[in-house]
Amino acid sequence: MKQTFFRNHENRSNRILPQEKKIQAGIKKDRTGSARARLVFFGLLAFLLLLGSVFSEALAPYDPDLQDLTIAKAAPSAAHLLGTDRYGRDMLSRVIAGSRASIFSTLLLVAVITAIGTLIGVFCGWNGKRADAVLMRISDIFLAFPGLVFAMAVAGLLGGGLHNAIIALAAISWPKYARIARSQTLAQRETAYLKAARLAGSGTVKIIFVHLLPNIMGPILVTSMLDIGTMMMELAGLSFLGLGAKPPTAEWGSMMSDARSLMTTAPWVAFSPGAAIFLSVMVFNLLGDTVRDYADPRSRDL
Amino acid sequence: MQGEKKGPVLEVRDLTKIFSRRGQPSVTAVDRVSFSLMPGECLGIIGESGSGKSTLVNMITRLIDTDSGQIFLKGRDITRLRGRALRSVYSELQMVFQQPADSFDPRRTLGHGIGESLRNSGWSSADAAEEIGKLLERCGLAAAFAGRYPHEVSGGQCQRAAIARALAIRPSILLCDEATSALDVTVQQEILSLLQTLRRQQGEEFSILFICHDIALVQQFCDRVLVMYQGRIVEEGIPDNVIQNPSHPYTKRLIDSIL
Ligand SMILES: Nc1ncnc2c1ncn2[C@@H]1O[C@H](COP(=O)(O)OP(=O)(O)OP(=O)(O)O)[C@@H](O)[C@H]1O
Ligand SMILES: [Mg+2]
């Protein structure tokens, strides 16, 4: 009994019947289709968040910095949907205004570290030799430190402020990208198509930008998509610790920090920026996951 | 004019390449190789795997540096050229790679690859597009193949596109590094007859260095053959003569193995 089962099984697995092929093709299409649908969905959400952060001034119902002590710590109501803080500022307006500092700055930060890290990595992988050895040892040093602690030290050294927090996070985050870009470059450097491009008379810069970068960007972009959420949290974390955006600038991390003492009396003041961080980090993480699923041919072709 | 034509289009003298890596014994991949390629000639180089054929070709195309020796292209020493001067060499010297699919950028169309040398030498994209169509048709493919990606064509079609790419800039020398090895026998013959046709069309203006490890193909296709063994040229002559009277033990073994 058992033996016949095995024999049948073997026979079946050796050749693919036409209808099986069709089923496999169907599965493949479905998976790609749903990955694309998710990509569009989360991409749209992320795009809306970004749009909101760019046009935050127009979207905010009140001036986010307008103080009115007569309505300080007011609970959520029809006039102030998310309540007001200790100075009577409208929380909804402040959360919307804070998206500029949180979302826009994070995207800028991720874009900058992706570009810088990639260029350094490509340079190292392409040239090898001493510059490579030196830059990679430097990146080892950065990678060996616990990231946020190092960022705190750098931000502290530079003296707070949103700009310095971004610089601090950029300083600690580029090595990851440099590593990926370097190993990808090493893997591609000797391929025939790059040699063919050289024989076509293309110079090194052209070869790198026209042929190499498009072929190595996949894994790098996936990493940066997955990093957006992390960076958003770290930026908010630095601000929470007073090393990022300075009051009265509306920024989610510093708003939460501000609201700590009001936790028991006016919890909505801490709740709304917290929820904003939570929701945006989630949207960008899910987008990153989707991009990874979509970009990884192994998960796509299953 | 007459005197210019008589000299070799390509001459290499005492070319040597030694790969050395720390902690490992160094490998002399190419050892004092000298030969010349005459106008209109098809010169075969045959040798077993690891005998240094690819290393030799890569030195000639300057994709890797030469340790010692010299390379002359139409009498001009190109051994140490760099940058812009080196790029001008590629309008005379082109190459077809062993793995056709790997020799095209997977993210760009075949047309992009074929037109790259044209655009680099100042053609407008419209003119280049028209020329790409002509080149493809000359190599036995429909002009529409320009829009295909490397993974969307068969190995034989891809190698035809690779030949179209190599011919785009109208080189006088074509290096084929096992250009037919990755293809099945019938497609191999098609590619060879394509190369034959191109030779007939261009006569003296077009020489081929044909690297191969199949002596039957070399006999069919080449005017002269060099036998490479462990980085050295051990035998040279007309293919029929070499096959009938092999003098080096390796050549004897090679011929015995196919008879
Ligand atoms: N980058 C390199 N570093 C070290 N050794 C190398 C390198 N490239 C080639 N070699 C060595 O040089 C020798 C010649 O290699 P080459 O690729 O030229 O052989 P080939 O004749 O083209 O072989 P095949 O027919 O398999 O293509 C081999 O022993 C190889 O191991
Ligand atoms: Mg080879």
Side-chain angles (χ1 to χ4, degrees):
Chain A
M1 193 57 211
K2 207 174 181 185
Q3 273 201 324
T4 45
F5 170 76
F6 269 106
R7 203 173 300 140
N8 276 341
H9 182 73
E10 255 170 36
N11 276 344
R12 283 179 60 80
S13 62
N14 275 344
R15 62 203 163 96
I16 298 172
L17 302 167
Q19 64 266 34
E20 276 182 311
K21 255 189 194 160
K22 215 177 274 170
I23 292 165
Q24 281 175 353
I27 291 169
K28 189 172 156 184
K29 197 178 271 171
D30 272 348
R31 279 190 63 111
T32 325
S34 79
R36 184 168 299 156
R38 276 195 297 150
L39 190 68
V40 170
F41 179 68
F42 291 119
L44 210 65
L45 275 185
F47 182 69
L48 284 179
L49 281 177
L50 177 64
L51 217 62
S53 75
V54 172
F55 295 107
S56 55
E57 266 153 37
L59 286 174
Y62 297 91
D63 178 351
D65 294 327
L66 183 70
Q67 300 188 1
D68 182 355
L69 290 175
T70 57
I71 51 164
K73 293 187 264 182
S77 63
H80 299 280
L81 285 174
L82 295 177
T84 62
D85 69 1
R86 71 170 90 230
Y87 303 110
R89 296 175 293 197
D90 178 45
M91 281 312 291
L92 179 62
S93 304
R94 282 188 73 71
V95 167
I96 292 176
S99 68
R100 164 89 42 104
S102 295
I103 295 178
F104 191 69
S105 308
T106 307
L107 291 181
L108 196 71
L109 167 65
V110 171
V112 166
I113 56 175
T114 306
I116 292 180
T118 304
L119 286 181
I120 292 178
V122 167
F123 176 79
C124 289
W126 193 268
N127 287 315
K129 298 189 198 135
R130 185 157 301 165
D132 178 30
V134 171
L135 281 165
M136 283 302 118
R137 289 302 81 72
I138 293 175
S139 86
D140 281 345
I141 295 171
F142 279 96
L143 287 170
F145 275 99
L148 203 53
V149 176
F150 203 15
M152 277 162 59
V154 176
L157 213 67
L158 294 173
L162 189 58
H163 287 263
N164 289 340
I166 291 177
I167 293 173
L169 285 175
I172 61 147
S173 316
W174 65 268
K176 182 160 69 174
Y177 294 86
R179 287 263 149 194
I180 302 173
R182 178 176 177 273
S183 67
Q184 292 282 323
T185 305
L186 284 176
Q188 299 284 321
R189 200 172 59 174
E190 303 298 328
T191 49
Y193 74 88
L194 291 183
K195 292 180 180 175
R198 191 161 288 285
L199 285 175
S202 297
T204 304
V205 174
K206 190 167 182 184
I207 291 176
I208 286 176
F209 281 94
V210 175
H211 297 288
L212 180 68
L213 280 178
N215 278 291
I216 67 170
M217 268 334 266
I220 297 173
L221 280 182
V222 169
T223 310
S224 49
M225 295 308 284
L226 289 170
D227 247 9
I228 294 176
T230 318
M231 288 295 149
M232 204 175 276
M233 293 242 278
E234 294 193 347
L235 199 57
L238 283 182
S239 298
F240 186 87
L241 295 173
L243 293 167
K246 288 259 187 291
T249 315
E251 198 277 346
W252 297 340
S254 61
M255 281 159 70
M256 281 189 75
S257 168
D258 221 28
R260 270 175 306 171
S261 57
L262 302 178
M263 266 321 233
T264 46
T265 49
W268 55 86
V269 184
F271 172 80
S272 34
I277 294 177
F278 172 74
L279 287 177
S280 352
V281 168
M282 197 167 71
V283 165
F284 281 106
N285 274 347
L286 288 171
L287 178 64
D289 276 345
T290 316
V291 169
R292 185 192 50 204
D293 285 352
Y294 191 70
D296 184 356
R298 272 168 309 179
S299 66
R300 204 178 350 159
D301 287 347
L302 262 176
Chain B
M1 199 65 204
Q2 197 67 6
E4 206 180 87
K5 270 196 175 173
K6 277 212 179 105
V9 275
L10 178 74
E11 189 184 354
V12 305
R13 276 190 214 145
D14 292 325
L15 222 51
T16 302
K17 180 75 192 179
I18 302 169
F19 289 111
S20 47
R21 208 173 276 166
R22 247 181 296 161
Q24 278 172 20
S26 55
V27 182
T28 308
V30 174
D31 190 3
R32 284 163 289 155
V33 165
S34 304
F35 66 85
S36 43
L37 177 69
M38 304 309 282
E41 185 184 33
C42 177
L43 176 63
I45 297 185
I46 193 163
E48 62 185 359
S49 193
S51 56
K53 307 180 296 293
S54 296
T55 309
L56 177 63
V57 171
N58 285 336
M59 278 195 284
I60 295 173
T61 52
R62 297 292 322 282
L63 291 171
I64 60 173
D65 282 330
T66 306
D67 286 335
S68 70
Q70 285 163 299
I71 309 158
F72 295 93
L73 180 72
K74 295 192 165 168
R76 174 175 167 222
D77 188 347
I78 62 163
T79 325
R80 309 256 166 246
L81 292 186
R82 297 215 155 268
R84 197 176 291 273
L86 178 59
R87 275 180 254 160
S88 75
V89 164
Y90 296 136
S91 61
E92 298 279 356
L93 191 69
Q94 281 293 319
M95 173 164 174
V96 181
F97 294 83
Q98 176 168 357
Q99 298 292 342
D102 294 348
S103 75
F104 280 96
D105 186 339
R107 291 188 179 257
R108 306 260 171 205
T109 59
L110 298 179
H112 183 276
I114 297 169
E116 190 163 0
S117 59
L118 296 175
R119 287 189 306 275
N120 279 336
S121 54
W123 287 53
S124 72
S125 8
D127 289 349
E130 202 186 321
E131 181 73 8
I132 292 164
K134 284 188 199 152
L135 284 161
L136 281 168
E137 274 162 13
R138 231 175 116 200
C139 294
L141 290 177
F145 273 86
R148 298 263 196 113
Y149 286 87
H151 68 270
E152 296 174 340
V153 296
S154 74
Q157 290 165 338
C158 204
Q159 199 60 298
R160 283 173 189 271
I163 293 173
R165 171 177 61 191
L167 295 178
I169 199 82
R170 296 171 203 266
S172 43
I173 302 169
L174 188 64
L175 306 174
C176 301
D177 185 7
E178 311 207 29
T180 59
S181 303
L183 307 172
D184 70 60
V185 202
T186 49
V187 182
Q188 238 174 37
Q189 289 299 329
E190 282 173 29
I191 296 290
L192 278 186
S193 63
L194 168 63
L195 289 174
Q196 287 283 22
T197 316
L198 294 169
R199 280 185 72 198
R200 227 176 301 121
Q201 284 167 355
Q202 281 172 302
E204 290 268 286
E205 306 285 291
F206 189 58
S207 317
I208 297 181
L209 189 65
F210 189 77
I211 311 241
C212 193
H213 50 225
D214 182 345
I215 196 148
L217 283 185
V218 169
Q219 183 183 22
Q220 177 195 349
F221 185 61
C222 298
D223 304 320
R224 197 153 58 93
V225 63
L226 306 173
V227 181
M228 246 180 121
Y229 183 66
Q230 296 187 346
R232 287 197 203 132
I233 290 184
V234 294
E235 194 150 346
E236 179 187 348
I238 298 182
D240 290 332
N241 296 350
V242 171
I243 288 169
Q244 273 151 31
N245 304 307
S247 61
H248 192 270
Y250 165 68
T251 325
K252 283 187 187 135
R253 263 194 292 134
L254 183 70
I255 289 157
D256 287 345
S257 70
I258 57 161
L259 290 180

